[in-house]
Amino acid sequence: MAIKPVTIAFDVMGSDHGPAEVIRGAAQLSLESPHIHALLVGDRAVIDDVLAATRHSGERISVQHASGFIAMDEKPGEALARKPDASVSVAARLVAEGEADALVSAGNTGACVLACARHFQLLPGVRRAALAAVYPTRMRHGGKEDPFSLILDVGATVEATADDLVTFAVMGAAYARIISRNEQPKVALLSNGTESTKGPRHVVEAHARIAGLPGMKFLGNVEGVDIPKGTADVVVTDGFVGNVCLKMLEGVHETVFELAQYAHKESLRWRAGLAMLAGGIQRIKDITDWEQYGGAPVLGFDRIFIKAHGRSHARAIANAGKIAAKAAANELGKSIQQGLAR
Amino acid sequence: MSLPDRIDPRPPRRIYRWDLDKTYLQTEFDSIRDILRTAFQKAHEKQAVPGASALIRELAANGDSRLCIVSGSPRQMRSVLEEKLKLDGVVWDEFVLKDNVGNLMRGRFRALRGQVGYKLPAILESRALAPLEAEEVLFGDDAEADAFIYSLYADMVAGRVDERVLTQILNQAAVYPDEVERVHAAWKKIPVSDPVRRIFIHLDRLTPPAHFADYGPRVVPIFNYFQAALVLLADGHLTAPQVIKVAVEMVQTAGHNIITLSNSFQDLLRRGLPLQQAAAALVQALEGPNALLQALRPMPDIISAFTKRLAALGTEPAPPPARAVDYLAMLHHALPRTHKTRKPPAKPPAT
């Protein structure tokens, strides 16, 4: 049976590496995945210059000109108001109008979420959208044996209520089911102890309600130490805590590699030791290589939005496009809605 | 014998020159295994590039053209290739194949892979027999040196190539002396005119289009034959309903759809090809009562998809600048793709 074609809108402007990496990522996608079409939104002249010099399939790429873009350091609300033709706004509008099935952007996160909020609808029963992130873990997850879990929210909703946490649990489970082919994802609440009574009031309340959700494989509470272990497939928390956790995990990862570099320079003996560990270090690097995960979804809207890392290179953008296509093809929104209706 | 049979056929107004492998046929010859498989394939097992046979049939339907095929396939494959063309309803006027066995027997190993020494004299000799006023459109691919050979041929016939430059090219391409002689002999017989209107390069290897920019706007890299048909519509070689027939073949045989077709259309617009009028003609043809068009999708969808792709560009892109081809600077293009001194296609610009 032929796979249904999916169109992904790429916000080409606004990433840390400029438009070229996003365009090359979409070009790579056009060669690797025949059923995915890329709609590149941004400055047409720039897009055409890069595309002309990049191997791609012209049958699977189209361009929508957008004259403006929002830089990383701009205030989202003000910038969106000042620049109605910003690429992220135009791309979100095209997705809302059905010209594309999902949006991928590596630009200013705040502006992306706000542009989506303005053009997309929240799903019935969802009060606030959640920004999810994938993080590398020791344990493998789902049918694809993904070496990462999902944590949400990591910054969209700073102060979440118990209602929000329940919604996040349902949305995260639906995403894991589709993207990691994990039929029964293990969901956990992040708290300061594993007992059901531990944590602030809204966490305790959410614990009781998630435990009662039919079809949910709820592990209960997990602690911070369980995040890198990969005890749960989906870790639920509010945006403030989630963001702090995520940044700390990134910081630990960077520090470990900086220490290894320091050791490499410091003494011949340490260098020899590191050389002996080279295979293992490479393996860790492979597992923690965020570019292979592509991007993270913003969950809760009726349309799909995958936020790629601002530092994404072409490979990460292409992977983000594949995740967006998979979420669109498997009707992620519908799956979340069904979960919320239970 | 009826009266019309006794009247000589009209001289062709247009000549369409085609390569075969990777231009008309989906052929793989990157490995020994591919070559063997290709050699033993039966006619019905060979696959034409989607839309190619429909395009040839529509170009022939105008009744005043010739189809000349010059292929690098060995002469031993003539019967199977002819059978394939007949199966596809393609009628040809000239069909030249390479004498690979002869080259092998005579120890001319360079000639096995070399294209310049084979194709250039063959098409020059064909041109020498053509009427002066006949225009030409050439079809090749990005696997070998088609863009280089076709452009050189066009500029030689138009008197834009210096004899000194030609000598350097033939030397660099390691062309055998008898082939050099054939090139010069045929060239001398051709009166100076400027007949080549377009050179289409089928991007079988998806070479970035910028790789062909130095050949100027006459060379149009195409991802599929719907794109060639659109340009030929703009150039007055086809009508809009004929272009739709090419599209229908691609939809029916190769899974093309409204997205791939409208993306292909926009791709050409973005490269500055003047297709606005062709688009209008196409939309008009799509609106007419034609049951064949139902094979694509409901009419409003098609028209809307094309209109949207056109509107998405904002201002009209500038056409590519005309330029003289610097063959000496591009001598490496004349070499076989696997030659050690041939440079790879253009790399993306550094950021």
mmCIF file of all heavy atoms in Angstrom, chain B residues 274-318:
data_model
loop_
_atom_site.group_PDB
_atom_site.id
_atom_site.type_symbol
_atom_site.label_atom_id
_atom_site.label_comp_id
_atom_site.label_asym_id
_atom_site.label_seq_id
_atom_site.Cartn_x
_atom_site.Cartn_y
_atom_site.Cartn_z
ATOM 1 N N PRO B 274 10.463 31.409 -17.838
ATOM 2 C CA PRO B 274 9.248 32.228 -18.052
ATOM 3 C C PRO B 274 8.028 31.346 -18.321
ATOM 4 O O PRO B 274 7.643 31.138 -19.458
ATOM 5 C CB PRO B 274 9.624 33.072 -19.272
ATOM 6 C CG PRO B 274 10.641 32.258 -20.004
ATOM 7 C CD PRO B 274 11.333 31.377 -19.019
ATOM 8 N N LEU B 275 7.422 30.837 -17.274
ATOM 9 C CA LEU B 275 6.330 29.867 -17.442
ATOM 10 C C LEU B 275 4.956 30.442 -17.110
ATOM 11 O O LEU B 275 3.977 29.694 -17.114
ATOM 12 C CB LEU B 275 6.583 28.659 -16.534
ATOM 13 C CG LEU B 275 7.795 27.793 -16.852
ATOM 14 C CD1 LEU B 275 7.856 26.618 -15.908
ATOM 15 C CD2 LEU B 275 7.749 27.289 -18.290
ATOM 16 N N GLN B 276 4.882 31.742 -16.831
ATOM 17 C CA GLN B 276 3.600 32.296 -16.396
ATOM 18 C C GLN B 276 2.504 32.072 -17.440
ATOM 19 O O GLN B 276 1.395 31.666 -17.109
ATOM 20 C CB GLN B 276 3.730 33.794 -16.077
ATOM 21 C CG GLN B 276 4.252 34.080 -14.671
ATOM 22 C CD GLN B 276 5.754 33.836 -14.526
ATOM 23 O OE1 GLN B 276 6.434 33.444 -15.476
ATOM 24 N NE2 GLN B 276 6.283 34.050 -13.337
ATOM 25 N N GLN B 277 2.856 32.332 -18.712
ATOM 26 C CA GLN B 277 1.846 32.160 -19.771
ATOM 27 C C GLN B 277 1.519 30.683 -19.968
ATOM 28 O O GLN B 277 0.373 30.322 -20.213
ATOM 29 C CB GLN B 277 2.355 32.765 -21.077
ATOM 30 C CG GLN B 277 2.249 34.290 -21.052
ATOM 31 C CD GLN B 277 2.488 34.889 -22.421
ATOM 32 O OE1 GLN B 277 3.020 34.226 -23.309
ATOM 33 N NE2 GLN B 277 2.105 36.134 -22.585
ATOM 34 N N ALA B 278 2.544 29.873 -19.860
ATOM 35 C CA ALA B 278 2.326 28.427 -19.989
ATOM 36 C C ALA B 278 1.391 27.956 -18.876
ATOM 37 O O ALA B 278 0.504 27.125 -19.109
ATOM 38 C CB ALA B 278 3.657 27.689 -19.906
ATOM 39 N N ALA B 279 1.577 28.526 -17.689
ATOM 40 C CA ALA B 279 0.723 28.143 -16.556
ATOM 41 C C ALA B 279 -0.720 28.535 -16.827
ATOM 42 O O ALA B 279 -1.645 27.758 -16.551
ATOM 43 C CB ALA B 279 1.225 28.823 -15.283
ATOM 44 N N ALA B 280 -0.889 29.723 -17.387
ATOM 45 C CA ALA B 280 -2.252 30.184 -17.691
ATOM 46 C C ALA B 280 -2.899 29.250 -18.715
ATOM 47 O O ALA B 280 -4.075 28.876 -18.571
ATOM 48 C CB ALA B 280 -2.199 31.613 -18.218
ATOM 49 N N ALA B 281 -2.133 28.846 -19.725
ATOM 50 C CA ALA B 281 -2.663 27.943 -20.753
ATOM 51 C C ALA B 281 -3.031 26.595 -20.148
ATOM 52 O O ALA B 281 -4.043 25.989 -20.494
ATOM 53 C CB ALA B 281 -1.622 27.756 -21.858
ATOM 54 N N LEU B 282 -2.200 26.173 -19.209
ATOM 55 C CA LEU B 282 -2.428 24.883 -18.556
ATOM 56 C C LEU B 282 -3.720 24.925 -17.718
ATOM 57 O O LEU B 282 -4.541 24.008 -17.773
ATOM 58 C CB LEU B 282 -1.227 24.575 -17.662
ATOM 59 C CG LEU B 282 -0.895 23.135 -17.394
ATOM 60 C CD1 LEU B 282 -0.604 22.382 -18.676
ATOM 61 C CD2 LEU B 282 0.317 23.048 -16.474
ATOM 62 N N VAL B 283 -3.864 26.006 -16.975
ATOM 63 C CA VAL B 283 -5.066 26.162 -16.142
ATOM 64 C C VAL B 283 -6.304 26.173 -17.023
ATOM 65 O O VAL B 283 -7.315 25.524 -16.724
ATOM 66 C CB VAL B 283 -4.956 27.444 -15.284
ATOM 67 C CG1 VAL B 283 -6.300 27.811 -14.663
ATOM 68 C CG2 VAL B 283 -3.912 27.253 -14.182
ATOM 69 N N GLN B 284 -6.208 26.878 -18.174
ATOM 70 C CA GLN B 284 -7.339 26.950 -19.105
ATOM 71 C C GLN B 284 -7.679 25.543 -19.633
ATOM 72 O O GLN B 284 -8.847 25.162 -19.701
ATOM 73 C CB GLN B 284 -6.961 27.852 -20.272
ATOM 74 C CG GLN B 284 -8.157 28.517 -20.908
ATOM 75 C CD GLN B 284 -7.726 29.437 -22.040
ATOM 76 O OE1 GLN B 284 -6.544 29.590 -22.321
ATOM 77 N NE2 GLN B 284 -8.686 30.044 -22.686
ATOM 78 N N ALA B 285 -6.628 24.793 -19.966
ATOM 79 C CA ALA B 285 -6.852 23.441 -20.488
ATOM 80 C C ALA B 285 -7.460 22.532 -19.419
ATOM 81 O O ALA B 285 -8.289 21.681 -19.711
ATOM 82 C CB ALA B 285 -5.540 22.854 -20.980
ATOM 83 N N LEU B 286 -7.038 22.751 -18.189
ATOM 84 C CA LEU B 286 -7.565 21.929 -17.092
ATOM 85 C C LEU B 286 -9.036 22.221 -16.832
ATOM 86 O O LEU B 286 -9.781 21.351 -16.384
ATOM 87 C CB LEU B 286 -6.765 22.189 -15.817
ATOM 88 C CG LEU B 286 -5.365 21.575 -15.768
ATOM 89 C CD1 LEU B 286 -4.547 22.195 -14.662
ATOM 90 C CD2 LEU B 286 -5.448 20.080 -15.571
ATOM 91 N N GLU B 287 -9.439 23.457 -17.120
ATOM 92 C CA GLU B 287 -10.837 23.828 -16.863
ATOM 93 C C GLU B 287 -11.779 23.273 -17.927
ATOM 94 O O GLU B 287 -12.971 23.178 -17.716
ATOM 95 C CB GLU B 287 -10.963 25.353 -16.796
ATOM 96 C CG GLU B 287 -10.487 25.883 -15.459
ATOM 97 C CD GLU B 287 -10.352 27.399 -15.427
ATOM 98 O OE1 GLU B 287 -10.148 28.005 -16.497
ATOM 99 O OE2 GLU B 287 -10.442 27.952 -14.326
ATOM 100 N N GLY B 288 -11.225 22.901 -19.093
ATOM 101 C CA GLY B 288 -12.055 22.406 -20.189
ATOM 102 C C GLY B 288 -12.612 21.014 -19.895
ATOM 103 O O GLY B 288 -12.163 20.328 -18.982
ATOM 104 N N PRO B 289 -13.609 20.609 -20.699
ATOM 105 C CA PRO B 289 -14.207 19.284 -20.474
ATOM 106 C C PRO B 289 -13.309 18.191 -21.056
ATOM 107 O O PRO B 289 -13.220 18.058 -22.260
ATOM 108 C CB PRO B 289 -15.540 19.370 -21.237
ATOM 109 C CG PRO B 289 -15.325 20.423 -22.280
ATOM 110 C CD PRO B 289 -14.210 21.318 -21.847
ATOM 111 N N ASN B 290 -12.617 17.478 -20.208
ATOM 112 C CA ASN B 290 -11.696 16.445 -20.682
ATOM 113 C C ASN B 290 -11.659 15.309 -19.668
ATOM 114 O O ASN B 290 -11.140 15.458 -18.570
ATOM 115 C CB ASN B 290 -10.292 17.037 -20.862
ATOM 116 C CG ASN B 290 -9.382 16.094 -21.617
ATOM 117 O OD1 ASN B 290 -9.593 14.886 -21.619
ATOM 118 N ND2 ASN B 290 -8.373 16.643 -22.258
ATOM 119 N N ALA B 291 -12.228 14.193 -20.085
ATOM 120 C CA ALA B 291 -12.335 13.060 -19.153
ATOM 121 C C ALA B 291 -10.966 12.553 -18.711
ATOM 122 O O ALA B 291 -10.788 12.088 -17.584
ATOM 123 C CB ALA B 291 -13.107 11.932 -19.820
ATOM 124 N N LEU B 292 -9.972 12.687 -19.578
ATOM 125 C CA LEU B 292 -8.610 12.211 -19.289
ATOM 126 C C LEU B 292 -8.048 12.876 -18.025
ATOM 127 O O LEU B 292 -7.322 12.277 -17.245
ATOM 128 C CB LEU B 292 -7.720 12.537 -20.495
ATOM 129 C CG LEU B 292 -6.255 12.158 -20.412
ATOM 130 C CD1 LEU B 292 -6.108 10.652 -20.490
ATOM 131 C CD2 LEU B 292 -5.471 12.808 -21.528
ATOM 132 N N LEU B 293 -8.441 14.144 -17.867
ATOM 133 C CA LEU B 293 -7.883 14.909 -16.750
ATOM 134 C C LEU B 293 -8.361 14.393 -15.393
ATOM 135 O O LEU B 293 -7.737 14.652 -14.367
ATOM 136 C CB LEU B 293 -8.254 16.381 -16.883
ATOM 137 C CG LEU B 293 -7.875 17.024 -18.209
ATOM 138 C CD1 LEU B 293 -8.239 18.484 -18.219
ATOM 139 C CD2 LEU B 293 -6.390 16.861 -18.454
ATOM 140 N N GLN B 294 -9.462 13.672 -15.403
ATOM 141 C CA GLN B 294 -9.964 13.138 -14.128
ATOM 142 C C GLN B 294 -8.959 12.166 -13.503
ATOM 143 O O GLN B 294 -9.024 11.870 -12.321
ATOM 144 C CB GLN B 294 -11.310 12.438 -14.338
ATOM 145 C CG GLN B 294 -12.426 13.374 -14.781
ATOM 146 C CD GLN B 294 -12.669 14.522 -13.822
ATOM 147 O OE1 GLN B 294 -12.449 14.397 -12.626
ATOM 148 N NE2 GLN B 294 -13.101 15.664 -14.351
ATOM 149 N N ALA B 295 -8.033 11.662 -14.340
ATOM 150 C CA ALA B 295 -7.007 10.759 -13.820
ATOM 151 C C ALA B 295 -6.085 11.477 -12.841
ATOM 152 O O ALA B 295 -5.448 10.855 -12.005
ATOM 153 C CB ALA B 295 -6.190 10.194 -14.966
ATOM 154 N N LEU B 296 -5.976 12.775 -12.965
ATOM 155 C CA LEU B 296 -5.106 13.515 -12.049
ATOM 156 C C LEU B 296 -5.803 13.678 -10.695
ATOM 157 O O LEU B 296 -5.472 13.012 -9.739
ATOM 158 C CB LEU B 296 -4.770 14.889 -12.634
ATOM 159 C CG LEU B 296 -3.719 14.901 -13.720
ATOM 160 C CD1 LEU B 296 -3.673 16.253 -14.381
ATOM 161 C CD2 LEU B 296 -2.355 14.574 -13.158
ATOM 162 N N ARG B 297 -6.752 14.545 -10.609
ATOM 163 C CA ARG B 297 -7.559 14.762 -9.405
ATOM 164 C C ARG B 297 -8.647 15.743 -9.789
ATOM 165 O O ARG B 297 -8.613 16.295 -10.872
ATOM 166 C CB ARG B 297 -6.700 15.357 -8.271
ATOM 167 C CG ARG B 297 -5.911 14.364 -7.495
ATOM 168 C CD ARG B 297 -6.412 14.092 -6.073
ATOM 169 N NE ARG B 297 -6.697 15.251 -5.252
ATOM 170 C CZ ARG B 297 -5.903 15.662 -4.265
ATOM 171 N NH1 ARG B 297 -4.756 15.102 -4.052
ATOM 172 N NH2 ARG B 297 -6.287 16.641 -3.483
ATOM 173 N N PRO B 298 -9.596 16.008 -8.930
ATOM 174 C CA PRO B 298 -10.611 16.992 -9.320
ATOM 175 C C PRO B 298 -9.971 18.316 -9.733
ATOM 176 O O PRO B 298 -8.995 18.771 -9.137
ATOM 177 C CB PRO B 298 -11.437 17.155 -8.042
ATOM 178 C CG PRO B 298 -11.219 15.891 -7.302
ATOM 179 C CD PRO B 298 -9.835 15.431 -7.642
ATOM 180 N N MET B 299 -10.529 18.894 -10.763
ATOM 181 C CA MET B 299 -9.941 20.103 -11.358
ATOM 182 C C MET B 299 -9.630 21.236 -10.381
ATOM 183 O O MET B 299 -8.545 21.781 -10.419
ATOM 184 C CB MET B 299 -10.865 20.660 -12.457
ATOM 185 C CG MET B 299 -10.976 19.817 -13.691
ATOM 186 S SD MET B 299 -9.399 19.302 -14.297
ATOM 187 C CE MET B 299 -9.434 17.623 -13.789
ATOM 188 N N PRO B 300 -10.571 21.592 -9.491
ATOM 189 C CA PRO B 300 -10.276 22.750 -8.627
ATOM 190 C C PRO B 300 -8.987 22.548 -7.822
ATOM 191 O O PRO B 300 -8.230 23.479 -7.616
ATOM 192 C CB PRO B 300 -11.496 22.823 -7.702
ATOM 193 C CG PRO B 300 -12.563 22.073 -8.402
ATOM 194 C CD PRO B 300 -11.888 21.024 -9.218
ATOM 195 N N ASP B 301 -8.724 21.300 -7.392
ATOM 196 C CA ASP B 301 -7.522 21.026 -6.606
ATOM 197 C C ASP B 301 -6.262 21.320 -7.402
ATOM 198 O O ASP B 301 -5.307 21.898 -6.899
ATOM 199 C CB ASP B 301 -7.477 19.534 -6.210
ATOM 200 C CG ASP B 301 -8.445 19.234 -5.100
ATOM 201 O OD1 ASP B 301 -9.216 20.144 -4.761
ATOM 202 O OD2 ASP B 301 -8.434 18.106 -4.598
ATOM 203 N N ILE B 302 -6.256 20.890 -8.674
ATOM 204 C CA ILE B 302 -5.071 21.057 -9.504
ATOM 205 C C ILE B 302 -4.825 22.541 -9.755
ATOM 206 O O ILE B 302 -3.714 23.044 -9.563
ATOM 207 C CB ILE B 302 -5.250 20.342 -10.861
ATOM 208 C CG1 ILE B 302 -5.573 18.870 -10.631
ATOM 209 C CG2 ILE B 302 -4.013 20.482 -11.716
ATOM 210 C CD1 ILE B 302 -6.045 18.175 -11.870
ATOM 211 N N ILE B 303 -5.898 23.215 -10.135
ATOM 212 C CA ILE B 303 -5.744 24.643 -10.447
ATOM 213 C C ILE B 303 -5.289 25.393 -9.199
ATOM 214 O O ILE B 303 -4.377 26.212 -9.246
ATOM 215 C CB ILE B 303 -7.078 25.203 -10.995
ATOM 216 C CG1 ILE B 303 -7.363 24.527 -12.347
ATOM 217 C CG2 ILE B 303 -7.025 26.716 -11.150
ATOM 218 C CD1 ILE B 303 -8.758 24.702 -12.854
ATOM 219 N N SER B 304 -5.905 25.057 -8.082
ATOM 220 C CA SER B 304 -5.553 25.751 -6.840
ATOM 221 C C SER B 304 -4.095 25.467 -6.446
ATOM 222 O O SER B 304 -3.370 26.366 -6.025
ATOM 223 C CB SER B 304 -6.545 25.334 -5.764
ATOM 224 O OG SER B 304 -5.930 25.100 -4.572
ATOM 225 N N ALA B 305 -3.636 24.211 -6.624
ATOM 226 C CA ALA B 305 -2.259 23.872 -6.256
ATOM 227 C C ALA B 305 -1.255 24.656 -7.101
ATOM 228 O O ALA B 305 -0.283 25.202 -6.577
ATOM 229 C CB ALA B 305 -2.025 22.375 -6.437
ATOM 230 N N PHE B 306 -1.515 24.752 -8.397
ATOM 231 C CA PHE B 306 -0.600 25.495 -9.272
ATOM 232 C C PHE B 306 -0.634 26.981 -8.955
ATOM 233 O O PHE B 306 0.400 27.640 -8.900
ATOM 234 C CB PHE B 306 -0.972 25.257 -10.743
ATOM 235 C CG PHE B 306 -0.398 23.994 -11.285
ATOM 236 C CD1 PHE B 306 -0.889 22.762 -10.877
ATOM 237 C CD2 PHE B 306 0.657 24.004 -12.170
ATOM 238 C CE1 PHE B 306 -0.350 21.576 -11.343
ATOM 239 C CE2 PHE B 306 1.214 22.833 -12.638
ATOM 240 C CZ PHE B 306 0.702 21.612 -12.229
ATOM 241 N N THR B 307 -1.838 27.507 -8.734
ATOM 242 C CA THR B 307 -1.964 28.937 -8.443
ATOM 243 C C THR B 307 -1.262 29.282 -7.131
ATOM 244 O O THR B 307 -0.586 30.293 -7.022
ATOM 245 C CB THR B 307 -3.462 29.316 -8.369
ATOM 246 O OG1 THR B 307 -4.109 28.722 -9.483
ATOM 247 C CG2 THR B 307 -3.678 30.809 -8.407
ATOM 248 N N LYS B 308 -1.412 28.397 -6.149
ATOM 249 C CA LYS B 308 -0.780 28.656 -4.845
ATOM 250 C C LYS B 308 0.741 28.648 -4.959
ATOM 251 O O LYS B 308 1.415 29.480 -4.364
ATOM 252 C CB LYS B 308 -1.216 27.593 -3.832
ATOM 253 C CG LYS B 308 -2.538 27.915 -3.170
ATOM 254 C CD LYS B 308 -2.913 26.829 -2.210
ATOM 255 C CE LYS B 308 -4.311 27.060 -1.661
ATOM 256 N NZ LYS B 308 -4.831 25.853 -1.041
ATOM 257 N N ARG B 309 1.272 27.683 -5.714
ATOM 258 C CA ARG B 309 2.731 27.610 -5.856
ATOM 259 C C ARG B 309 3.267 28.850 -6.558
ATOM 260 O O ARG B 309 4.374 29.294 -6.287
ATOM 261 C CB ARG B 309 3.143 26.368 -6.644
ATOM 262 C CG ARG B 309 2.836 25.060 -5.971
ATOM 263 C CD ARG B 309 3.680 24.865 -4.716
ATOM 264 N NE ARG B 309 3.622 23.511 -4.235
ATOM 265 C CZ ARG B 309 2.642 23.021 -3.479
ATOM 266 N NH1 ARG B 309 1.653 23.791 -3.085
ATOM 267 N NH2 ARG B 309 2.676 21.763 -3.096
ATOM 268 N N LEU B 310 2.460 29.391 -7.469
ATOM 269 C CA LEU B 310 2.854 30.602 -8.191
ATOM 270 C C LEU B 310 2.835 31.799 -7.232
ATOM 271 O O LEU B 310 3.783 32.575 -7.154
ATOM 272 C CB LEU B 310 1.882 30.805 -9.362
ATOM 273 C CG LEU B 310 2.147 31.896 -10.372
ATOM 274 C CD1 LEU B 310 3.483 31.674 -11.056
ATOM 275 C CD2 LEU B 310 1.049 31.925 -11.429
ATOM 276 N N ALA B 311 1.737 31.907 -6.470
ATOM 277 C CA ALA B 311 1.576 33.045 -5.555
ATOM 278 C C ALA B 311 2.589 32.993 -4.416
ATOM 279 O O ALA B 311 2.984 34.037 -3.885
ATOM 280 C CB ALA B 311 0.163 33.041 -5.000
ATOM 281 N N ALA B 312 3.026 31.790 -4.048
ATOM 282 C CA ALA B 312 3.923 31.632 -2.894
ATOM 283 C C ALA B 312 5.262 32.328 -3.089
ATOM 284 O O ALA B 312 5.970 32.598 -2.130
ATOM 285 C CB ALA B 312 4.167 30.152 -2.634
ATOM 286 N N LEU B 313 5.591 32.644 -4.342
ATOM 287 C CA LEU B 313 6.926 33.184 -4.613
ATOM 288 C C LEU B 313 7.036 34.687 -4.415
ATOM 289 O O LEU B 313 8.131 35.238 -4.452
ATOM 290 C CB LEU B 313 7.340 32.827 -6.047
ATOM 291 C CG LEU B 313 7.417 31.329 -6.333
ATOM 292 C CD1 LEU B 313 7.824 31.081 -7.756
ATOM 293 C CD2 LEU B 313 8.403 30.662 -5.385
ATOM 294 N N GLY B 314 5.904 35.366 -4.213
ATOM 295 C CA GLY B 314 5.981 36.825 -4.084
ATOM 296 C C GLY B 314 6.327 37.424 -5.427
ATOM 297 O O GLY B 314 5.619 37.222 -6.406
ATOM 298 N N THR B 315 7.460 38.118 -5.493
ATOM 299 C CA THR B 315 7.846 38.731 -6.771
ATOM 300 C C THR B 315 8.391 37.669 -7.733
ATOM 301 O O THR B 315 8.859 36.627 -7.315
ATOM 302 C CB THR B 315 8.951 39.786 -6.552
ATOM 303 O OG1 THR B 315 9.998 39.150 -5.825
ATOM 304 C CG2 THR B 315 8.446 40.982 -5.797
ATOM 305 N N GLU B 316 8.321 38.013 -9.019
ATOM 306 C CA GLU B 316 8.766 37.067 -10.050
ATOM 307 C C GLU B 316 10.288 36.908 -10.030
ATOM 308 O O GLU B 316 11.008 37.906 -10.084
ATOM 309 C CB GLU B 316 8.342 37.652 -11.398
ATOM 310 C CG GLU B 316 8.063 36.632 -12.454
ATOM 311 C CD GLU B 316 7.470 37.317 -13.672
ATOM 312 O OE1 GLU B 316 6.321 37.793 -13.591
ATOM 313 O OE2 GLU B 316 8.184 37.387 -14.683
ATOM 314 N N PRO B 317 10.800 35.709 -9.960
ATOM 315 C CA PRO B 317 12.270 35.540 -9.958
ATOM 316 C C PRO B 317 12.888 35.973 -11.292
ATOM 317 O O PRO B 317 12.258 35.836 -12.344
ATOM 318 C CB PRO B 317 12.453 34.031 -9.751
ATOM 319 C CG PRO B 317 11.137 33.521 -9.290
ATOM 320 C CD PRO B 317 10.105 34.429 -9.837
ATOM 321 N N ALA B 318 14.103 36.490 -11.219
ATOM 322 C CA ALA B 318 14.778 36.953 -12.440
ATOM 323 C C ALA B 318 15.211 35.758 -13.286
ATOM 324 O O ALA B 318 15.596 34.722 -12.741
ATOM 325 C CB ALA B 318 15.996 37.772 -12.047
#
